[in-house]
């Protein structure tokens, strides 16, 4: 025990700044502008979706950056509680609602609004003693077939909620499976499902894609609440239009530095498995980022990497802490040269496509080793 304490004294203090150059610059001013764009596209109010640690940007920092947002949406009660513990006072909606009676109680104590998407949640509610009334959003399944009850089965649940003095049914919501218009017929069918009923309550239907296309506008009015997520972070929700086309501003720029430069001869291979072979004598830069930071291991040779302002190509496999880049064309690149993996100059959606994924996943899989640093503004 004594030894243990001695050792602890010898460890560096947590306050020492970490010096690795790999970081994500976050432009909070652009984040706010994207939120304003989302608001301008929908008639009612807009809850900023900041689940999953604010899509990897830092949930509490997102909430603080949008101090006057109409509200926030998170996935689970735990996330809502973190917001309240950080002193966030704006409305907070929990998209998956309460998992059990304890969560009903916590939501009630901390003024979290809960989605009810299944009858079992109301059974759990019966087991809880609520401190304060809880605002409830009833979720309808409009074709995603994930969470939500069928519109035709909503009536009895609405009656149960309305009969409960401690529950206030405030909104009817749905989440579209095809708002990005990959399947326009499925999207139209979802609109019809929501229109078939007179809900007599404000609706909440639009995610980022529906916000940008405004194709769900007939369901919305002054009281409706949109739920923009990915667009706030500067990635396009639509496959056919880029973030720039849509007027979205870049929020995250993922940066690192060159830590080593060396030459390889024609025919030599680079990286694990020798996946890439130099066709001619080449110069290779090693950059301090890898899948241990969340840079996708699926990124193929040829993925653009901005080094010292030049668009270069990733070569060879992404390893845990490093990547290798062909810099043969640019003599001014050296150890310490700045690198951008995505952000201001390299569209995160382009990187996502090359990796057969979406920007949502690239953002969410950034690991804690990547410091999030506020950019100017
Ligand atoms: C995540 C989520 C959103 C936000 O979706 P984006 O595509 O990021 O805009 C909206 N509503 C629900 C129910 C969600 O789960």
């Amino acid at each position: 025990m004594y030894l243990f304490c001695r050792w602890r004294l010898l460890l560096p203090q947590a306050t020492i700044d970490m010096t690795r150059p790999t970081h994500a610059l976050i432009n909070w001013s652009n984040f706010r502008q994207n939120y304003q764009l989302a608001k301008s596209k929908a008639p009612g109010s807009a809850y900023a979706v900041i689940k999953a640690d604010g899509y990897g940007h830092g949930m509490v920092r997102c909430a603080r950056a949008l101090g006057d947002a109409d509200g926030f949406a998170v996935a689970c009660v735990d996330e809502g509680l973190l917001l309240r513990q950080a002193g966030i006072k704006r409305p907070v909606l929990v998209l998956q609602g309460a998992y059990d009676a304890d969560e009903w109680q916590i939501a009630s104590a901390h003024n979290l609004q809960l989605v009810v998407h299944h009858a079992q949640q109301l059974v759990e509610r019966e087991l809880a003693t609520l401190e304060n009334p809880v605002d409830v959003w009833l979720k309808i399944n409009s074709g995603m077939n994930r969470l939500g009850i069928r519109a035709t089965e909503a009536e009895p649940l609405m009656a149960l909620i309305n009969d409960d003095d401690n529950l206030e049914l405030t909104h009817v919501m749905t989440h579209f499976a095809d708002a990005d218009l990959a399947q326009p017929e499925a999207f139209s069918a979802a609109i019809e499902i929501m229109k078939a009923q007179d809900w007599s309550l404000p609706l909440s239907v639009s995610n980022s894609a529906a916000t940008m296309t405004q194709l769900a506008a007939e369901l919305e009015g002054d009281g409706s609440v949109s739920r923009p997520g990915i667009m706030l972070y500067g990635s396009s929700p639509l496959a056919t239009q880029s973030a720039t086309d849509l007027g979205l501003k870049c929020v995250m720029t993922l940066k690192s530095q060159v830590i080593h430069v060396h030459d390889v001869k024609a025919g030599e291979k680079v990286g694990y498995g020798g996946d890439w072979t130099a066709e001619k004598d080449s110069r290779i830069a090693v950059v301090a980022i890898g899948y241990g930071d969340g840079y996708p291991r699926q990124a193929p040779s040829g993925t653009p990497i901005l080094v010292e302002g030049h668009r270069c190509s990733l070569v060879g496999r992404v390893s845990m802490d490093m990547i290798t880049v062909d810099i043969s064309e640019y003599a001014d690149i050296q150890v310490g040269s700045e690198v951008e993996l995505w952000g201001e100059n390299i569209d995160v959606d382009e990187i996502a496509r090359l990796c057969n994924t979406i920007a949502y996943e690239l953002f969410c899989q950034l690991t804690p080793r990547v410091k999030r640093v506020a950019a100017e503004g």
Side-chain angles (χ1 to χ4, degrees):
M1 193 61 201
Y2 171 72
L3 253 182
F4 175 71
C5 294
R6 287 280 302 249
W7 274 110
R8 276 185 58 102
L9 289 175
L10 294 174
L11 285 172
Q13 299 298 297
T15 50
I16 291 176
D17 266 353
M18 285 175 284
T19 49
R20 189 161 183 260
T22 307
H23 61 279
L25 267 183
I26 313 281
N27 188 321
W28 293 114
S29 159
N30 286 354
F31 182 66
R32 281 189 285 272
Q33 286 184 52
N34 292 339
Y35 176 73
Q36 286 310 322
L37 181 70
K39 261 189 82 85
S40 73
K41 293 275 178 187
S45 49
Y47 278 22
V49 182
I50 56 173
K51 61 194 179 189
D53 201 26
Y55 292 45
H57 293 62
M59 179 179 66
V60 169
R61 276 171 286 187
C62 288
R64 291 202 175 122
L66 294 180
D68 56 357
D70 299 322
F72 299 107
V74 295
C76 53
V77 167
D78 280 349
E79 290 177 338
L81 197 54
L82 283 175
L83 288 178
R84 291 293 182 241
Q85 284 165 350
I88 304 299
K89 302 280 198 303
R90 308 298 295 162
V92 172
L93 171 67
V94 178
L95 294 168
Q96 295 183 351
Y99 302 141
D100 57 27
D102 282 349
E103 289 208 334
W104 273 102
Q105 241 147 290
I106 294 167
S108 160
H110 295 275
N111 191 23
L112 304 174
Q113 304 172 4
L114 293 180
V115 170
V116 166
H117 54 76
H118 191 272
Q120 182 63 30
Q121 289 176 310
L122 294 177
V123 176
E124 289 295 325
R125 179 267 167 273
E126 287 301 314
L127 304 172
T129 317
L130 302 185
E131 252 174 69
N132 315 297
V134 176
D135 285 351
V136 165
W137 300 42
L138 186 68
K139 184 165 186 174
I140 304 301
N141 172 11
S142 60
M144 171 95 89
N145 292 316
R146 197 177 60 181
L147 293 184
I149 47 160
R150 289 178 199 275
T152 47
E153 291 161 12
E155 199 65 48
L157 277 196
M158 291 177 91
L160 268 178
I161 297 168
N162 285 328
D163 285 349
D164 189 324
D165 288 343
N166 274 316
L167 301 185
E168 181 77 31
L169 183 58
T170 60
H171 297 82
V172 170
M173 68 180 284
T174 194
H175 190 44
F176 297 127
D178 290 288
D180 55 357
L181 296 182
Q183 295 187 69
E185 328 73 52
F187 183 68
S188 314
I191 300 272
E192 289 312 314
I193 287 172
M194 294 307 287
K195 266 188 1 194
Q197 213 109 343
D198 175 17
W199 299 104
S200 315
L201 278 170
L203 296 188
S204 172
V205 297
S206 288
N207 55 5
S208 296
T211 298
M212 290 312 303
T213 61
Q214 299 188 308
L215 285 176
E218 58 187 306
L219 298 173
E220 298 178 306
D222 290 351
S224 63
V225 182
S226 65
R227 306 182 309 269
I230 195 67
M231 66 178 289
L232 305 179
Y233 307 94
S235 154
S236 171
L238 304 173
T240 51
Q241 279 169 289
S242 73
T244 314
D245 292 343
L246 296 174
L248 294 170
K249 298 271 169 63
C250 167
V251 175
M252 178 194 289
T253 302
L254 182 62
K255 303 194 80 166
S256 186
Q257 274 181 13
V258 172
I259 58 166
H260 179 63
V261 169
H262 63 98
D263 296 318
V264 295
K265 296 204 182 331
E268 288 188 314
K269 295 171 185 297
V270 172
Y272 283 116
D275 262 13
W276 183 82
T277 307
E279 280 177 7
K280 52 182 173 52
D281 292 357
S282 303
R283 174 156 277 210
I284 302 294
V286 181
V287 176
I289 194 164
Y291 64 80
D293 302 288
Y295 188 80
R297 189 172 172 279
Q298 308 91 295
S301 288
T303 299
I305 311 276
L306 198 77
V307 189
E308 202 67 39
H310 309 296
R311 219 173 136 103
C312 303
S313 286
L314 177 77
V315 294
R317 267 186 220 163
V318 171
S319 43
M320 189 183 286
D321 314 303
M322 284 171 268
I323 55 172
T324 35
V325 183
D326 181 359
I327 57 165
S328 307
E329 308 289 314
Y330 307 105
D332 59 332
I333 295 174
Q334 54 193 359
V335 170
S337 284
E338 291 234 337
V339 176
E340 176 185 316
L341 291 311
W342 63 65
E344 283 290 343
N345 302 286
I346 296 197
D347 185 355
V348 66
D349 292 319
E350 179 186 359
I351 303 298
R353 266 191 300 279
L354 287 167
C355 298
N356 292 316
T357 185
I358 49 180
Y360 299 72
E361 189 185 33
L362 295 186
F363 290 148
C364 284
Q365 73 186 13
L366 281 186
T367 67
R369 191 164 73 180
V370 178
K371 284 157 285 179
R372 276 62 161 179
V373 179
E376 304 287 329

